[in-house]
Amino acid sequence: MAKEPDTVSSGVAGKLEWLRDSVKTHAEGAADSTWAWIEELSKRAGTDADSADEELNELFRLGTAPTDLHGATEGMLVMTTTNPKFDTVVRAITALWMPWQGKRFDNQAATGDNRLTKSTGLVGKLLWPLYSMKDHVDGKLAFDFKTYVEPGKEDPDVDVMVIDYADIEKNPKLVIRKIRDELVELLPGVYLGKILYNTGSGYYKLGYFALRMPH
């Protein structure tokens, strides 16, 4: 690929446009560079959360609703956006133990589930004793969802893929069924998401996550 533009001088939109143009000749390299950009923002969140949040939000708003997402994806919890003390605790815990590995999508059925580590089953029994996770070759599968496209709750001018846990009766009522994930595609194979919590009177942003298709 050509020399990467400086994010400050070209702006977030300019850098993303350059990466999207690079897909035509270097698809894998463009995807890797976009993923590395999100990883850098995740690291920056530890020292400058406001800046990271602002850039991630701008990136999200430049995305488009995925239309052909299918199969297993790798996942990254980019950052949480609750309050500084809690966010610091989350970063410390997830640096040592990250149970979430990504999501699986069935494009035709408009459904999916979450990929978790095997050890998640023990913690899950403590939090949701009546909920059974499914065994899988590389861990556990849990928290089924439906997908559909509609305007974002925070960004009504942006169409997003909604990852909806609320209507799946077997999902735990504690936390899970109040979560609404919103996903956009930044470029083929790389996706950025917002984690929203339904308070009953509106939606509160808990953080960002990212997904990518494995090479």
Side-chain angles (χ1 to χ4, degrees):
M1 288 190 293
K3 185 176 184 288
E4 184 173 341
D6 179 79
T7 307
V8 176
S9 61
S10 66
V12 172
K15 182 173 180 179
L16 183 59
E17 182 180 0
W18 174 83
L19 286 164
R20 285 171 170 169
D21 286 341
S22 300
V23 169
K24 301 169 187 175
T25 52
H26 302 281
E28 189 170 313
D32 287 344
S33 294
T34 305
W35 192 256
W37 184 5
I38 297 171
E39 287 181 322
E40 186 276 324
L41 289 170
S42 181
K43 292 177 183 176
R44 190 199 303 174
T47 55
D48 190 353
D50 289 343
S51 169
D53 185 5
E54 182 178 354
E55 191 164 324
L56 285 163
N57 193 64
E58 185 173 352
L59 255 182
F60 184 89
R61 290 182 51 77
L62 292 167
T64 57
T67 56
D68 57 357
L69 181 52
H70 184 77
T73 61
E74 299 173 0
M76 178 201 321
L77 176 62
V78 183
M79 69 178 292
T80 54
T81 56
T82 55
N83 64 70
K85 288 184 178 180
F86 182 76
D87 293 340
T88 299
V89 171
V90 170
R91 291 185 68 83
I93 293 173
T94 55
L96 297 172
W97 182 63
M98 170 45 70
W100 181 66
Q101 295 182 309
K103 297 181 186 290
R104 299 191 314 167
F105 294 85
D106 184 327
N107 186 42
Q108 186 172 2
T111 59
D113 53 25
N114 286 268
R115 300 172 51 242
L116 307 169
T117 61
K118 290 182 179 180
S119 61
T120 314
L122 299 174
V123 178
K125 282 298 180 186
L126 293 174
L127 293 173
W128 305 288
L130 300 180
Y131 180 75
S132 295
M133 297 183 180
K134 294 167 284 188
D135 290 323
H136 191 253
V137 62
D138 60 353
K140 297 282 188 179
L141 299 174
F143 312 135
D144 294 4
F145 54 76
K146 297 178 181 178
T147 62
Y148 50 88
V149 173
E150 70 175 26
K153 290 298 183 182
E154 280 197 333
D155 310 278
D157 55 334
V158 177
D159 281 345
V160 302
M161 173 188 276
V162 178
I163 297 174
D164 187 353
Y165 302 92
D167 291 336
I168 309 295
E169 288 190 9
K170 66 181 179 180
N171 281 338
K173 290 184 178 179
L174 178 64
V175 179
I176 300 300
R177 290 178 68 176
K178 293 185 178 294
I179 295 294
R180 170 189 165 107
D181 290 334
E182 295 184 350
L183 193 69
V184 295
E185 182 180 82
L186 299 181
L187 49 75
V190 183
Y191 310 86
L192 182 63
K194 286 185 177 182
I195 309 165
L196 304 178
Y197 184 81
N198 186 352
T199 65
S201 58
Y203 286 85
Y204 177 78
K205 186 175 73 181
L206 298 180
Y208 298 89
F209 67 97
L211 299 172
R212 66 174 173 177
M213 299 302 297
H215 293 324

